[in-house]
Amino acid sequence: MTPDDRPLALTLGDPSGIGPEIALAAWRLRVERGVPPFQLIGDPEFLEATAYRLGLSVPVAEVEPGDAVEVFPRALPVLPLPSGAKVTATPGAPDSAQAGAIVESITAAVDLVRSGIASAIVTNPIAKFVLTKVGFAHPGHTEFLAALAAGPGREPPLPVMMLWSDTLAVVPVTIHVALRRVPDLLTQGLVERTARIVHADLRARFGLDTPRLVLSGLNPHAGESGTMGTEDRDVLAPAVAALRSEGIDIRGPLPADTLFHARARATYDVALTPTHDQALIPIKTLAFDEGVNVTLGLPFVRTSPDHGTAFDIAGQGIAKPDSLIAALRLAHRLAHRPAADNVTPFPVRA
């Protein structure tokens, strides 16, 4: 199998959510929407039952690792969980009894990409509260993947979550933490490490020779010279100065409330924000169905739909597969991007 022939590894996600049905829908639209070959890691019988319940004419084929590309044109390839575990989830009813299958699917996907069988990982949404009930020790998908990338006993890389669309790309510097903890976690070192990873991956994977970054302020009006909080003056501004001295094109800290209108977006490629919601609110407003979660700083490509499990609509057949399709297409493009110079850059702004 050559690198260009390798399929994507798609995880099960929480089987009580919309992951299984949007995977089925993505396969149905494979020709119309240009979906690259992928194999889902889960329970073939559960996927067959899901397709039947939703009235979807999607044939499901149990496959061995490496067979997905051949099978993909005629059936959805499903690689059984390595343990042989069965999935018995009920749509819309999250159940910690499914936690083992959820975690096993993610771990198996990492094994596939690290062994060269899969080209990249695309993860279906999970609900952290389902996993924490059974002792899952990571704040979320992103941090778990970083731990898997490092291996047992090794320091994991800093995972950076970028939300990408043709309209806007954003990176929250702090991710899945309570808002009251942000000022203590938002160090100059963290801002600098995050920006360096974003800059490096935009060059290496997105084909941008000179990425343009911008950093939003933490406080209203970026602190108003320290009168509305000192973090912007004492932490963010020194980080920007240090990064600029290294040759990284970054501006800030700038007021977050004026950073995301069309004219502002035309001046940068990626916006970094101190908090999770400062980044996710604008991109979910501008590109809810097309946004893709991309994890930077890992030794493999990982993307995910920019939405959650949607338990409230699971099993109704109304979930849109658009973000998953965008995630599959972007993962394929990142994993197969030519290493040559003068590659056409990805569009990341309006």
Side-chain angles (χ1 to χ4, degrees), residues 211-244:
R212 301 172 301 164
L213 311 184
V214 67
L215 175 66
S216 81
L218 171 66
N219 298 296
H221 302 180
E224 197 78 64
S225 298
T227 61
M228 287 191 283
T230 59
E231 293 87 357
D232 302 277
R233 181 193 65 195
D234 297 342
V235 177
L236 303 186
V240 169
L243 291 163
R244 291 185 65 84

Side-chain angles (χ1 to χ4, degrees), residues 267-281:
T267 67
Y268 59 82
D269 298 306
V270 177
L272 283 69
T273 68
T275 71
H276 177 279
D277 284 7
Q278 283 177 309
L280 270 69
I281 288 172

Side-chain angles (χ1 to χ4, degrees), residues 188-189 191-197 199-200 203 213 238-250:
Q188 180 177 338
V191 175
E192 291 179 15
R193 288 179 65 196
T194 301
R196 290 186 190 109
I197 290 170
H199 180 264
R203 286 175 53 85
L213 311 184
V240 169
L243 291 163
R244 291 185 65 84
S245 72
E246 299 173 12
I248 294 176
D249 184 353
I250 182 169

